[in-house]
Amino acid sequence: MDRTVGTSAHTSGAPDTSDATNATKASRRTFVAGAAALGGGAALGALPVAQAAHAAAPAAPAVPAAGRSVAVLGGGVAGLTAAHELAERGFQVTVYERRALGGKARSMDVPGSAKGGRRPLPAEHGFRFIPGIYHNLPDTMRRIPFPGNANGVWDNLVAPPEMMFARTGREDIRMPIPWPGHKPAELDLDDLRRALTGLIDTAFNLPLHEVAYFVNRALVFLTSCDERRNSTWEKTPWWEFVRAAKMSLDYQRILAIGVTRNIVATKAEEASTRTVGTLGEAFVFNLLGQGADGPPDRILNAPTNEAWIDPWVTHLKSLGVDFKLGWTVRELRTAGGRISATVIEDPAGVRQSVMADHYVSAMPVEHARRTWNAEMRALEPQLVRADKLETDWMTGIQFYLTERPKMVDGHVNLIDSPWSLTGIAQAGHWPDRDFPAVYGDGVAVECLSVDISEWDKPGMLYGKTAKQCTREEVAKEVWAQLKAALNDTGKTVLRDSALHSWFLDPGVDGLGTPNPTNEDELLIHPVGTLHNRPSAGTTIPNFYLAGDYVAVDIDLATMEGANASARAAVNALLDREGSSAPRVKVRGMHKIPAVETLKRHDRTRWRLGLRNALDVG
């Protein structure tokens, strides 16, 4: 998922004009997109260190904005969505972004990799995917024009036909993703033999009573009322809810750990049952064709900027949106119970006090809250609660190969890997892109994009955590873990001789030192997180929040959540203005009438202090 996940870019942190320049190049060209899947991972700044001379410099005279103006602080999915909806309703919108438009969803180029008139090799923070449970983001995508597409960039979505759980030392579990119109994966006799072996091996090693128990727990959650979900299940870790500690290793790896890594990109021992269950429920409905925008697993048919972000920015410019790239938000100022200005550092390091009628904070929470002052927190208690939200590392690395590996035609989850790896070979899903003809030096033919979800456990080569390794050691360790999972049953999928090069997300810095940093951490969902997520509208009359940490119906840090929160922020702004403009539609999670009836029955039991009727403990 997007890990799914991360979503909006940030503008806090030290100025980085070189990165801003690279971002401008990326917006002109294209680069990498990726994806996770029903069984994949969601994909997922430098700490602000102002130069002393700039830190002490007084703010320049205020630059007033004319008319019904809105300053959108952050140019990721949340910020671009807010700008899109506001511009369509006639507002004067300026987006301030420090690094690159698109945020964690963007693609980027590998420096120095372009030769012979080709584009640089495509890279990314982590692979993307846009499952059928999303509705708000696809609606936005349909409204972004793309040449030759009747439904805009939405028509650039393609659906992998399968996914796989890769196990070390045992045959992998390869599973089709059923959906009408899916092109089936190409399998030979050996593929079929291995697929059957993996499924039967799992069936015989996973006791029937454990399968029955897991199904029961799923039904308990499915029929639990919202009150029980928001209280009891929000306080209960998924690991405890499914009684994983008492179950077999296969149960733990596949049903407890595998599910949480795939769906919510967080640790089963800590993740809220409400979060895991809500998304698991949505994916089941999606597989059954209930309320789905499309197949459970969809990715873009080209690098993200080429297929989505660049066309979006072009469209927003046509609507009158002004972009300030390389501008860093430093602080918000208050006067009379309102936001009076935002202090923003331009690419030259000069601070300006920018004024607007309204301010939409669309930065990730770990960067946004650095701009909130004590008066803002006193005016809006939600900001104090948001200080308790937690983030963690989930970062991508790409391996460029000189041959196409014969692996699953979709996402793979390496469930036994020490660093909790998930990945996808992308070039085969870009049918209109002749990879070696378009990118790099003409030798690399494939981009294997891998997400590292666990940065604090020892690896298999060096006995060190990912944070303790150098960048080179991280690459070697991940490659070794990939081979251990994919080359372990007599079939060589990855060859050392085919490894052309690699690229690790530049947002990670200081690896191998006592103080490594990550500019793009991912919001995680330990128990209690729900009650610390703020709403899009605040008690500060001209201040709004948009981002994957804001409370919306999809209880997860996703691009869908970022998009939905931006829509909610725009609606709150329209209400404050008393605007007659149409409100933005915000679609919630799909509900099935029969299940809602059972949930109403459970609400009665909850009010009486009784357990769910199916809860056998």
Side-chain angles (χ1 to χ4, degrees):
M1 188 172 329
D2 95 7
R3 149 299 200 268
T4 283
V5 86
T7 47
S8 61
H10 73 273
T11 54
S12 73
D16 187 348
T17 56
S18 63
D19 203 29
T21 302
N22 289 338
T24 304
K25 293 178 181 177
S27 69
R28 289 197 305 265
R29 296 194 287 267
T30 64
F31 309 102
V32 133
L38 175 64
L44 296 114
L47 298 178
V49 181
Q51 297 177 8
H54 294 151
V63 180
R68 298 158 63 233
S69 59
V70 183
V72 176
L73 312 178
V77 171
L80 296 180
T81 302
H84 194 156
E85 302 297 347
L86 288 164
E88 285 190 342
R89 288 159 178 78
F91 286 85
Q92 177 188 330
V93 182
T94 303
V95 176
Y96 297 90
E97 167 56 43
R98 183 180 74 86
R99 288 191 306 170
L101 298 173
K104 290 194 281 285
R106 77 192 189 281
S107 51
M108 63 193 85
D109 53 341
V110 177
S113 64
K115 290 181 174 61
R118 299 177 185 85
R119 299 169 180 170
L121 288 169
E124 58 195 349
H125 165 72
F127 55 69
R128 311 281 110 214
F129 89 124
I130 300 171
I133 68 171
Y134 289 5
H135 290 281
N136 296 292
L137 185 66
D139 172 71
T140 296
M141 297 179 79
R142 288 184 176 94
R143 292 155 47 212
I144 302 170
F146 192 90
N149 287 0
N151 298 298
V153 301
W154 184 86
D155 282 341
N156 290 337
L157 293 173
V158 294
E162 58 179 343
M163 59 83 59
M164 185 170 77
F165 287 103
R167 300 179 298 180
T168 302
R170 295 167 63 185
E171 198 57 70
D172 303 325
I173 307 170
R174 187 169 182 167
M175 297 180 293
I177 303 174
W179 196 260
H182 253 170
K183 177 185 177 182
E186 296 182 5
L187 304 176
D188 58 24
L189 186 60
D190 186 59
D191 292 329
L192 293 172
R193 177 183 64 80
R194 290 174 180 277
L196 289 172
T197 301
L199 290 172
I200 292 172
D201 175 66
T202 300
F204 279 99
N205 282 280
L206 196 59
L208 288 177
H209 74 274
E210 292 188 355
V211 175
Y213 185 79
F214 184 85
V215 171
N216 170 261
R217 300 311 288 167
L219 293 175
V220 167
F221 185 86
L222 186 70
T223 58
S224 289
C225 63
D226 291 340
E227 291 84 353
R228 194 183 301 278
R229 294 184 182 199
N230 295 346
S231 56
T232 307
W233 302 144
E234 175 62 21
K235 298 174 185 175
T236 305
W238 178 252
W239 184 267
E240 179 182 325
F241 179 75
V242 298
R243 306 294 191 269
K246 299 180 180 180
M247 302 298 183
S248 65
L249 182 61
D250 275 352
Y251 181 100
Q252 294 174 354
R253 291 288 176 89
I254 298 172
L255 298 179
I257 297 173
V259 167
T260 53
R261 190 188 307 165
N262 291 344
I263 297 177
V264 298
T266 191
K267 298 181 175 81
E269 297 86 347
E270 303 172 1
S272 153
T273 291
R274 181 191 186 279
T275 298
V276 179
T278 298
L279 271 293
E281 173 186 82
F283 274 111
V284 169
F285 289 168
N286 192 174
L287 276 169
L288 296 174
Q290 297 290 316
D293 181 80
D297 181 11
R298 295 179 299 187
I299 63 177
L300 289 162
N301 63 2
T304 309
N305 276 36
E306 183 175 344
W308 174 23
I309 302 300
D310 286 352
W312 199 2
V313 173
T314 298
H315 180 57
L316 295 184
K317 287 180 177 178
S318 75
L319 295 177
V321 176
D322 185 20
F323 291 97
K324 300 291 188 183
L325 192 58
W327 293 59
T328 304
V329 176
R330 289 303 184 189
E331 63 176 307
L332 288 157
R333 291 182 174 172
T334 49
R338 301 170 60 87
I339 303 299
S340 58
T342 180
V343 177
I344 302 182
E345 197 169 277
D346 68 18
V350 177
R351 293 192 175 194
Q352 300 186 35
S353 183
V354 174
M355 297 173 61
D357 296 320
H358 299 277
Y359 302 82
V360 178
S361 177
M363 298 175 283
V365 66
E366 70 271 24
H367 303 294
R369 57 193 174 198
R370 296 172 186 168
T371 69
W372 304 338
N373 61 35
E375 184 178 355
M376 290 176 65
R377 286 175 167 85
L379 290 168
E380 177 50 271
Q382 291 189 104
L383 302 183
V384 178
R385 293 198 298 274
D387 286 335
K388 300 177 182 178
L389 294 173
E390 300 179 35
T391 59
D392 203 350
W393 289 33
M394 179 183 240
T395 303
I397 182 171
Q398 287 79 53
F399 295 95
Y400 304 96
L401 310 176
T402 58
E403 64 183 28
R404 289 273 175 88
K406 194 174 188 307
M407 56 188 294
V408 65
D409 189 11
H411 298 87
V412 58
N413 182 340
L414 284 69
I415 59 177
D416 296 324
S417 57
W419 288 357
S420 298
L421 306 180
T422 50
I424 183 171
Q426 295 179 320
H429 301 282
W430 299 344
D432 297 330
R433 303 294 181 277
D434 183 339
F435 194 91
V438 176
Y439 304 107
D441 58 5
V443 178
V445 303
E446 181 60 271
C447 172
L448 176 58
S449 188
V450 180
D451 280 356
I452 307 169
S453 298
E454 177 55 74
W455 286 77
D456 294 305
K457 289 185 178 179
M460 57 188 292
L461 280 186
Y462 305 104
K464 297 190 292 187
T465 70
K467 291 178 182 177
Q468 293 170 335
C469 290
T470 64
R471 298 179 74 86
E472 291 73 18
E473 288 172 339
V474 167
K476 291 178 180 178
E477 178 72 53
V478 173
W479 184 250
Q481 291 185 27
L482 288 168
K483 291 194 300 178
L486 298 175
N487 294 357
D488 58 331
T489 56
K491 181 179 180 181
T492 302
V493 176
L494 299 177
R495 306 175 192 274
D496 290 340
S497 60
L499 180 56
H500 174 276
S501 55
W502 56 268
F503 183 80
L504 178 62
D505 185 354
V508 173
D509 194 20
L511 290 176
T513 72
N515 299 298
T517 59
N518 188 343
E519 294 194 47
D520 298 298
E521 295 192 15
L522 181 74
L523 181 74
I524 58 175
H525 305 78
V527 294
T529 297
L530 173 69
H531 306 297
N532 294 324
R533 295 175 72 130
S535 60
T538 76
T539 56
I540 302 172
N542 61 342
F543 182 63
Y544 315 89
L545 301 174
D548 60 12
Y549 67 97
V550 175
V552 290
D553 204 31
I554 187 168
D555 179 30
L556 188 67
T558 59
M559 295 186 292
E560 172 78 350
N563 183 279
S565 69
R567 291 166 175 249
V570 170
N571 285 342
L573 187 155
L574 296 174
D575 290 344
R576 289 273 170 77
E577 281 252 330
S579 173
S580 60
R583 298 315 188 249
V584 189
K585 183 177 181 179
V586 184
R587 182 164 173 176
M589 305 293 281
H590 182 67
K591 300 183 185 300
I592 294 179
V595 174
E596 292 304 303
T597 298
L598 295 172
K599 288 170 68 175
R600 286 194 293 272
H601 176 261
D602 186 59
R603 182 173 293 111
T604 300
R605 294 182 62 86
W606 182 81
R607 289 170 176 168
L608 293 172
L610 301 174
R611 303 170 89 168
N612 180 279
L614 300 178
D615 192 351
V616 296

